[in-house]
Amino acid sequence: MTTNQRLAPGDTAPDFTLPDADGKNVSLSDYRGRKVIVYFYPAASTPGCTKQACDFRDNLTDLDGAGIDVVGISPDKPAKLAKFRDAEQLTFPLLSDPDRAVLTAWGAYGEKTMYGKTVVGVIRSTFLVDEAGKIAVAQYNVRATGHVAKLRRDLSV
């Protein structure tokens, strides 16, 4: 497998329509006119992904006040996302991409190094998409812990 195509600021964000935890379709275009953080994570209910999702949940009021919505995407099926959402009281959409097409289009699926070995999987990534649907911030290989605080500092939120 070769290096992933990565998105950069100024690129048009690849559009998507994916089912949320309740099976309702959500599209990136639904957020046109508002900024939205789109973040990709490997698996619901794992320690790192839970920490990251709860950090977004705990900062949602401030992000919303700055005109920024949040959407999380993983390869998990909607039923698993619903359990995760309910267990952690998450109040932003979690979207299901089991065939990894959206993950791949955003450069968030492919080769990565884990514990010194090269593996293929979800690359924990975060993007800020502006009101016009362009990538404003593209961050790959982010850490689950402390990432939201750093993002808030970078965005002055």
Side-chain angles (χ1 to χ4, degrees), residues 4-5 40 103-110 121-125 127 140:
N4 296 6
Q5 178 69 27
F40 296 91
L103 284 147
T104 301
W106 287 64
Y109 186 79
V122 176
I123 299 162
R124 192 181 304 275
S125 308
F127 304 87
Y140 291 92

Side-chain angles (χ1 to χ4, degrees), residues 41-156:
Y41 61 99
S45 302
T46 57
C49 296
T50 298
K51 174 69 175 139
Q52 185 180 22
C54 291
D55 277 353
F56 274 117
R57 177 201 65 205
D58 295 346
N59 287 280
L60 212 52
T61 300
D62 291 339
L63 291 167
D64 186 57
I68 303 171
D69 293 316
V70 175
V71 174
I73 300 176
S74 78
D76 297 311
K77 301 264 193 240
K80 185 175 180 187
L81 295 176
K83 281 178 72 172
F84 182 46
R85 176 198 62 203
D86 295 347
E88 303 303 332
Q89 300 175 331
L90 303 175
T91 55
F92 55 88
L94 299 175
L95 307 183
S96 173
D97 183 25
D99 65 5
R100 297 168 182 82
V102 175
L103 284 147
T104 301
W106 287 64
Y109 186 79
E111 286 185 356
K112 63 181 183 175
T113 303
M114 204 159 115
Y115 305 115
K117 291 185 176 181
T118 299
V119 298
V120 175
V122 176
I123 299 162
R124 192 181 304 275
S125 308
T126 300
F127 304 87
L128 177 67
V129 180
D130 70 15
E131 298 88 342
K134 298 281 188 189
I135 301 291
V137 174
Q139 298 177 338
Y140 291 92
N141 297 308
V142 300
R143 296 198 177 280
T145 304
H147 170 62
V148 176
K150 181 187 180 317
L151 189 62
R152 284 190 57 179
R153 282 192 305 275
D154 291 351
L155 299 175
S156 301

Side-chain angles (χ1 to χ4, degrees), residues 7 12-20 24-32 36-40 70-74 93-97 99-106 127 129 133 135:
L7 298 174
T12 297
D15 203 7
F16 58 77
T17 300
L18 293 171
D20 69 7
K24 177 181 160 256
N25 281 339
V26 175
S27 299
L28 180 61
S29 59
D30 297 342
Y31 295 92
R32 201 61 39 86
V36 59
I37 290 170
V38 178
Y39 82 96
F40 296 91
V70 175
V71 174
I73 300 176
S74 78
L94 299 175
L95 307 183
S96 173
D97 183 25
D99 65 5
R100 297 168 182 82
V102 175
L103 284 147
T104 301
W106 287 64
F127 304 87
V129 180
I135 301 291

